[in-house]
Amino acid sequence: MTTGRSAAWVLAAGVAIFAALLAAGYGFFVLTKPGQAIDYAGYFGRGLEARVAVDYDRHILSWITPLHLAIAGGLMVVLASFRRRPLTGLLAAAALFAAVFGAEWFKKNLPRPELSRAPGPVPAYFSTDTYPSGHTTAGTSIAMGFILVAGFRWRWAVSVAAALASSSYATAVLFLGWHRPSDAFGGILWSAICFGAAGLLLMMIQRPPPRTEKPGWLALIAHFLLCATCLAAGWWLTGDPWPMAARDLPLAGMLALIVIPAFATCAWLAWALAGAEEI
């Protein structure tokens, strides 16, 4: 038996943990010399050679435009309204735009001291703060928005697709050299914070009654297997041989830092809302 109160605790605990990780990521990867060195090592460790992957990454990132964000927010409202849950749709759209604009605010206002010299050429905008990645935030937030507005019978399935989308956007900004790995990490966590807060607000307003539910183990197994597959695929796409050389460890670690949170946050949101027909 699961209650609205326990589901709210799952959301609240997740928001608190992700906020702490977001701050820790900024504190280590942005404000310390060792953190910046590891971040750059992961960034320059990529050696993407698969042309099809480059084309795919550019294609999906080209969809992150103000128009497409507005369409996605509108679709959330429409889908939730079909379920007679217009408030859910409105809060999902609000969380989407709060995440996107919040990421841009962070990027403009969080300082980034240059403590570690980049071992190669980087985009000019790397000299200012890029934490968290706006494209990763937008892609992940759209994915999480559809978890929120999906019917309770579909939330687990949608969460698996959402995790794939989130990890795709997060790795794309790294593989194309648009962002450091930590920027993608921050974008995933910031999106989770915004949608966890939206779910908490819905719990407070609607106070869903106790419900009995299956724990969704098949979906959790699917999350785990697909997460491992994405890690392996991301490593393979870098074009580096196996076994890993010591120089490759930063890239492997930073890929894990991106992909694992993408799946973990989507699974967490679906778990907290599982069976909540009222949301």
Side-chain angles (χ1 to χ4, degrees):
M1 183 75 71
T2 303
T3 65
R5 177 174 294 183
S6 65
W9 274 110
V10 172
L11 287 171
V15 168
I17 291 170
F18 299 143
L21 289 173
L22 180 70
Y26 175 73
F28 180 67
F29 290 112
V30 178
L31 298 183
T32 71
K33 185 175 181 178
Q36 287 191 8
I38 292 172
D39 211 9
Y40 274 130
Y43 178 82
F44 285 99
R46 73 197 199 288
L48 195 60
E49 296 177 355
R51 185 74 243 172
V52 63
V54 172
D55 293 340
Y56 170 75
D57 289 342
R58 285 180 176 159
H59 175 71
I60 63 172
L61 290 175
S62 70
W63 283 83
I64 301 299
T65 66
L67 175 61
H68 291 127
L69 288 172
I71 291 173
L75 281 175
M76 292 175 194
V77 175
V78 170
L79 289 174
S81 297
F82 278 138
R83 295 181 51 238
R84 298 182 181 180
R85 301 290 185 271
L87 180 60
T88 300
L90 290 172
L91 282 177
L96 167 62
F97 292 111
V100 171
F101 285 108
E104 293 303 314
W105 187 90
F106 284 135
K107 287 162 62 176
K108 291 178 180 178
N109 290 280
L110 291 179
R112 182 183 178 85
E114 288 298 324
L115 304 175
S116 178
R117 183 183 297 275
V122 296
Y125 57 83
F126 270 26
S127 60
T128 58
D129 189 60
T130 57
Y131 186 92
S133 160
H135 281 83
T136 301
T137 299
T140 301
S141 295
I142 291 172
M144 288 189 169
F146 285 109
I147 297 175
L148 192 61
V149 302
F152 74 104
R153 292 184 180 89
W154 295 97
R155 281 203 177 102
W156 275 118
V158 173
S159 73
V160 175
L164 285 169
S166 174
S167 59
S168 292
Y169 277 98
T171 54
V173 297
L174 169 62
F175 286 162
L176 291 181
W178 291 14
H179 277 281
R180 305 173 187 87
S182 64
D183 300 333
F185 170 75
I188 293 168
L189 294 178
W190 173 238
S191 300
I193 291 168
C194 291
F195 279 90
L200 271 174
L201 186 55
L202 281 168
M203 291 281 182
M204 293 171 59
I205 295 173
Q206 300 186 1
R207 298 184 182 277
R211 67 218 186 241
T212 302
E213 63 190 36
K214 295 182 179 179
W217 294 114
L218 287 177
L220 286 177
I221 292 171
H223 272 277
F224 175 81
L225 293 176
L226 285 171
C227 180
T229 301
C230 286
L231 282 171
W235 181 255
W236 176 78
L237 287 171
T238 62
D240 289 325
W242 189 267
M244 293 186 300
R247 64 178 177 82
D248 299 323
L249 290 176
L251 174 61
M254 296 309 268
L255 278 175
L257 192 74
I258 293 172
V259 174
I260 292 174
F263 280 85
T265 53
C266 289
W268 157 77
L269 186 60
W271 183 278
L273 299 174
E277 185 177 5
E278 300 81 10
I279 297 299

